[in-house]
Amino acid sequence: MDKLLKELLEAPGISGCEEAVAEIMKRELSKYCDEVKIDNFGNVIARKGKGGKKIMLAAHMDEIGLAVKHITPEGFIYFIKVGGIADMVLPAQRVIIKAKKGDVAGVIGTKPPHLMTGDEGKKAVHFTNMFIDIGCKTKEEVLEKIEIGDQIIFEPNAGELSKDRFYGKAIDNRAGCYEMIKIMETLGNIDAEVYAVATAQEEVGLKGAKTSSFAVEPDFALILDTTVAGDVPGIEDKVSSLRIGDGIAITLIEASGRGTIVNNKIRRMMIDTAKENKIKHQIDIIDGGMTDGAAIYMNRAGILTGILSIATRYIHASTSVFDINDLFDGVKLSQKIIEKVSKNF
């Protein structure tokens, strides 16, 4: 696995606490762009080129996670969820609390099933009945290490399952961040201003996308994100036919239309561009979930917007899986789309 990709996957950055990721993005984008800044909201905004149209790439930096809410007299920590996390993925997970004095390791605990009543054992445990154990005996001992409000991430992990299939924490959407860096690294000279924007707080309301696109005011925006793969047991093709390794996904409709609906002009251009350049791709229609595109395409007077997504297994969990070839198909298609938009739109 590429060193930079591993660094991005393992970096801490729940929504609102993206500083560590932002510094990586600023460092890397500075190598390939004419100007890079971090705005008041925490978005990283890089610009390359001048003249012509304004084209904006957007990839969100934040990951789902938790935050410290309450500490019991016995030293157990209760938490809130930051972003969409299914309760079922939480029990027994190893976590890291990012405290001012240093990282604190913990384990998410629940009432043991052996001690549950008959009715309790039949129900899923709600996250409000879970807690984090950091090995302390009292509240005072815990407060020597952490503070209320500290961000909590899943234990960092990243690696290769096989030659092309990688796993890691925060693939949603550090894979998209890495993809954006690679696009800017290899993008040739074109008659346009290309903005690479690493957005903050996507997982909790697409917030950084709203503020950054208002500032950039692009003529066209291309969103780089992940989407749910359907190639695992229990999912029928009619629910999701996306497969990791089958190419970059061109997303056309999100959240049954509550999110972005890519207009016909853009969807035709993206699909035709993929076919013309023989870039492996698949079509993505999402019943649930949305990307930064949903905020960007309704900003100001409306912004032409397209979405490219990397099919990913086990999304919004402590570890996800994707195929690196899909990511690089996304890099190739993004470059061709940027070239086309700069000339014809």
Side-chain angles (χ1 to χ4, degrees), residues 24-65:
I24 297 171
M25 296 302 293
K26 181 180 179 182
R27 181 193 76 205
E28 294 300 317
L29 289 170
S30 295
K31 299 175 182 178
Y32 314 115
C33 299
D34 303 322
E35 178 187 14
V36 184
K37 65 179 181 180
I38 299 177
D39 69 11
N40 290 335
F41 198 79
N43 304 301
V44 181
I45 303 178
R47 179 186 58 80
K48 183 176 185 177
K50 59 182 179 180
K53 293 197 166 42
K54 288 184 178 180
I55 299 170
M56 175 179 171
L57 304 178
H60 75 86
M61 297 182 288
D62 57 321
E63 64 188 287
I64 56 163

Side-chain angles (χ1 to χ4, degrees), residues 28-252:
E28 294 300 317
L29 289 170
S30 295
K31 299 175 182 178
Y32 314 115
C33 299
D34 303 322
E35 178 187 14
V36 184
K37 65 179 181 180
I38 299 177
D39 69 11
N40 290 335
F41 198 79
N43 304 301
V44 181
I45 303 178
R47 179 186 58 80
K48 183 176 185 177
K50 59 182 179 180
K53 293 197 166 42
K54 288 184 178 180
I55 299 170
M56 175 179 171
L57 304 178
H60 75 86
M61 297 182 288
D62 57 321
E63 64 188 287
I64 56 163
L66 315 168
V68 176
K69 180 180 180 180
H70 174 72
I71 303 165
T72 71
E74 300 78 17
F76 295 102
I77 299 165
Y78 283 89
F79 55 85
I80 63 167
K81 296 190 285 187
V82 180
I85 309 175
D87 292 349
M88 65 181 182
V89 307
L90 290 172
Q93 290 287 351
R94 293 193 295 268
V95 296
I96 301 294
I97 302 173
K98 304 298 292 185
K100 183 178 180 180
K101 295 180 180 179
D103 290 355
V104 177
V107 177
I108 298 177
T110 64
K111 184 177 181 180
H114 313 72
L115 302 181
M116 290 181 177
T117 65
D119 288 340
E120 286 178 326
K122 297 175 183 178
K123 300 176 182 178
V125 180
H126 194 264
F127 81 95
T128 55
N129 294 319
M130 302 178 195
F131 47 84
I132 296 173
D133 185 347
I134 63 170
C136 291
K137 298 178 181 178
T138 65
K139 179 177 182 178
E140 291 72 24
E141 190 179 350
V142 172
L143 287 172
E144 290 177 3
K145 298 183 176 184
I146 68 167
E147 298 176 336
I148 301 296
D150 281 346
Q151 69 164 314
I152 306 167
I153 62 170
F154 292 115
E155 184 178 67
N157 63 90
E160 299 182 11
L161 292 178
S162 61
K163 178 185 175 183
D164 299 319
R165 299 192 168 182
F166 296 174
Y167 70 86
K169 176 188 74 68
I171 285 170
D172 177 15
N173 181 42
R174 306 294 165 65
C177 290
Y178 178 82
E179 181 183 8
M180 185 166 67
I181 292 169
K182 290 300 176 183
I183 292 167
M184 299 307 284
E185 177 184 356
T186 54
L187 186 66
N189 293 324
I190 61 170
D191 182 24
E193 289 183 68
V194 181
Y195 289 81
V197 182
T199 63
Q201 299 189 39
E202 187 267 1
E203 296 289 4
V204 290
L206 320 178
K207 298 173 183 176
K210 296 176 185 178
T211 60
S212 60
S213 60
F214 189 92
V216 173
E217 197 174 4
D219 298 294
F220 174 76
L222 183 61
I223 314 306
L224 309 171
D225 209 328
T226 59
T227 189
V228 180
D231 58 344
V232 296
I235 301 178
E236 298 180 65
D237 281 354
K238 67 180 181 181
V239 177
S240 174
S241 61
L242 297 178
R243 287 168 167 75
I244 66 173
D246 274 10
I248 191 68
I250 300 174
T251 300
L252 303 181

Side-chain angles (χ1 to χ4, degrees), residues 164-165 179 225-231 241-251 274 278-284 307-312 322-333:
D164 299 319
R165 299 192 168 182
E179 181 183 8
D225 209 328
T226 59
T227 189
V228 180
D231 58 344
S241 61
L242 297 178
R243 287 168 167 75
I244 66 173
D246 274 10
I248 191 68
I250 300 174
T251 300
K278 296 181 172 56
I279 297 170
K280 200 172 184 181
H281 64 283
Q282 45 193 328
I283 303 301
D284 181 26
I307 306 167
L308 296 180
S309 306
I310 300 166
T312 303
F322 77 106
D323 192 302
I324 192 66
N325 294 307
D326 295 338
L327 187 154
F328 285 115
D329 286 332
V331 172
K332 289 185 284 187
L333 183 52

